Amino acid sequence: MMFRPPCTKEPTVCMSDYGHLWIPSPVEKIYLQIINDPTRNFEPLPVAGATEFNRSATEFIIGKDSLAIIENRACSIQTLGSTGALWIGADFLSRWYQSDHNKATVCIPSVAPGKHKWIFEDSGFTNICAYRFLDPKTKGLALPEMLEDLENAPDFSIIVLQASCNPTGIHIPKSVWVQIADIMKRKKMFPFFIMKAVGLNSGYVEKDAWSVRFFVSEGFELFCAQSFSANFGLYGERVGCLTVVIKTNEVLLGVCSQLEILARSKWSAPPAVGARIVATILNNSFFYAEWKESIKEAAKRLMIIREKMKGKLRLLGTLQSWEHITNQTGLFSYTGLTCVQVRLLIKKYHIYLHENGLINISSLNDSNLAYLLQSIHEVSSIPQ
């Protein structure tokens, strides 16, 4: 949510208290070191990306002590953000996984961005369905409905799981991930995780990445599309990767070979500077500790904004519960505002947000929070 005409900036950016793009403290220092390095190498990266970045990104999401790493059956391919990872992952599954299981079904959460469905359609999937995720009444997780939809999905379905920075801000507890994993294991389903802004949900990488690490520990083969845009402040660098976990090293080598072919046909070689920044931070204990502290402070700020929102709306006497705002985590909040209320906010108050009432919490600060909440109070008071 921004106080400006919509669509002029990527909505998934993380903003600072002053309305600028938030950048973790070590990122700018490393960036200046790289571009001012007289020995800097200007050669393009390999098709699969920077080796150190790929290794570090794999360890970052599944843990350095993961059995999959120890047994050499996990790796990453550098991509153009998480969208690029989703793209080559979908293409690979269409060519190889779908052929093994005839016309495989892809199940996408109902709150997913439209581009996710388009990417799978463009890759050749024809059986694409949505599973329920959001309960509009409680403004929380539609748990019984989600589990019912997963149970009713065909065996061997590909399940897209938005585990970090999902578009509603709804937190999925560990107990629910266990239930999801039980269903998927029994029905031999394939998990395709999308992980954005890891660390900004809770302030801790280990907590935000728990779901992926749990699925790996349960023996799943999986894909995971990662983005390092928001959590590393690299918004224009398009730094991402597709992390792959397979049961054997022999099959992993074949999968990675095919993914490299797909990457070569789409972008030839990924950008270098952003990947070097991420790899430097993840491989340097001093910089990594500094980055983790920055992430913790940014996540704390998001939590404080949520508390301020809920408290002020209650003080204004807005006639509904706002508990869901503080139950949610990360960059986004599903406010529960109706389409009519959203249109009124845009037309009368010049507050621009998604038609489903979704806002980017990080864009709120002391200069605009009071105006936003007063406006929400006024539109919420109008009979529907």
Side-chain angles (χ1 to χ4, degrees):
M1 194 283 299
M2 304 286 182
F3 292 86
R4 50 164 174 72
C7 302
T8 60
K9 288 184 182 177
E10 170 60 41
T12 58
V13 301
C14 184
M15 308 294 287
S16 72
D17 263 329
Y18 304 100
H20 306 302
L21 293 177
W22 172 80
I23 301 173
S25 55
V27 169
E28 288 187 271
K29 291 185 288 188
I30 297 169
Y31 176 76
L32 291 174
Q33 288 177 11
I34 291 173
I35 64 173
N36 292 318
D37 183 358
T39 65
R40 178 183 168 193
N41 185 348
F42 287 89
E43 293 182 3
L45 293 177
V47 175
T51 302
E52 279 301 297
F53 167 78
N54 288 333
R55 180 186 60 79
S56 302
T58 306
E59 295 174 348
F60 177 75
I61 200 64
I62 68 172
K64 289 185 178 181
D65 58 350
S66 172
L67 189 61
I69 290 179
I70 295 171
E71 295 177 347
N72 198 23
R73 52 186 181 82
C75 72
S76 294
I77 301 290
Q78 188 181 339
T79 61
L80 303 185
S82 58
T83 300
L86 187 65
W87 194 10
I88 64 169
D91 270 9
F92 175 90
L93 293 172
S94 178
R95 286 169 164 80
W96 300 100
Y97 184 87
Q98 181 163 249
S99 60
D100 288 343
H101 303 291
N102 299 315
K103 293 294 182 180
T105 297
V106 179
C107 299
I108 301 175
S110 57
V111 296
K115 67 179 179 181
H116 292 177
K117 182 173 184 287
W118 304 334
I119 287 172
F120 280 100
E121 286 177 339
D122 190 60
S123 297
F125 286 94
T126 55
N127 301 327
I128 303 174
C129 64
Y131 62 86
R132 288 168 288 181
F133 186 88
L134 172 69
D135 185 336
K137 293 182 180 178
T138 65
K139 304 175 185 64
L141 183 66
L143 180 57
E145 294 83 0
M146 178 179 68
L147 296 179
E148 179 184 11
D149 289 347
L150 292 178
E151 283 283 8
N152 291 335
D155 290 358
F156 303 105
S157 292
I158 298 163
I159 310 297
V160 177
L161 301 166
Q162 294 181 293
S164 178
C165 199
N166 77 66
T168 62
I170 293 173
H171 172 66
I172 303 177
K174 291 181 180 180
S175 58
V176 173
W177 283 117
V178 172
Q179 293 179 71
I180 293 171
D182 286 345
I183 294 172
M184 293 183 63
K185 183 179 290 187
R186 177 162 37 83
K187 296 177 70 66
K188 298 180 175 60
M189 293 169 162
F190 185 86
F192 198 144
F193 283 92
I194 299 178
M195 303 291 286
K196 296 184 177 183
V198 173
L200 284 175
N201 274 4
S202 67
Y204 299 92
V205 172
E206 294 75 15
K207 287 186 178 180
D208 289 1
W210 186 88
S211 55
V212 176
R213 296 180 183 189
F214 173 70
F215 270 66
V216 172
S217 70
E218 288 292 296
F220 279 92
E221 294 184 315
L222 59 83
F223 281 177
C224 178
Q226 291 193 69
S227 169
F228 296 90
S229 295
N231 54 353
F232 281 79
L234 297 169
Y235 308 102
E237 296 293 331
R238 305 305 295 139
V239 186
C241 70
L242 179 67
T243 301
V244 181
V245 179
I246 302 296
K247 290 191 181 296
T248 68
N249 174 256
E250 182 181 9
V251 176
L252 178 70
L253 293 175
V255 171
C256 290
S257 174
Q258 292 301 314
L259 289 171
E260 285 189 41
I261 292 172
L262 292 171
R264 182 183 295 277
S265 69
K266 296 186 186 302
W267 52 71
S268 183
V273 174
R276 286 171 181 160
I277 292 172
V278 173
T280 301
I281 291 174
L282 295 182
N283 287 293
N284 181 293
S285 58
F286 175 79
F287 286 137
Y288 188 50
E290 188 178 357
W291 174 81
K292 287 199 296 184
E293 193 60 34
S294 294
I295 281 286
K296 192 184 300 182
E297 288 301 312
K300 181 180 177 181
R301 175 179 172 263
L302 297 176
M303 295 174 190
I304 290 172
I305 292 172
R306 292 178 183 278
E307 291 289 349
K308 287 181 177 179
M309 288 180 68
K310 183 177 75 173
K312 179 63 174 177
L313 286 168
R314 286 179 171 177
L315 285 174
L316 289 170
T318 310
L319 298 177
Q320 60 175 286
S321 171
W322 297 99
E323 199 67 34
H324 60 281
I325 291 179
T326 51
N327 289 337
Q328 298 163 3
T329 61
L331 286 174
F332 303 113
S333 178
Y334 174 72
T335 60
L337 295 171
T338 66
C339 291
V340 173
Q341 291 168 339
V342 169
R343 285 195 288 268
L344 187 57
L345 282 173
I346 295 172
K347 184 177 181 179
K348 184 176 179 179
Y349 300 95
H350 303 287
I351 296 173
Y352 300 91
L353 63 162
H354 197 278
E355 62 181 4
N356 66 2
L358 183 71
I359 63 174
N360 183 333
I361 289 290
S362 73
S363 64
L364 303 177
N365 52 53
D366 290 340
S367 67
N368 59 29
L369 186 58
Y371 177 74
L372 168 72
L373 298 180
Q374 181 64 40
S375 302
I376 289 177
H377 168 66
E378 290 178 13
V379 301
S380 299
S381 303
I382 298 172
Q384 298 295 304

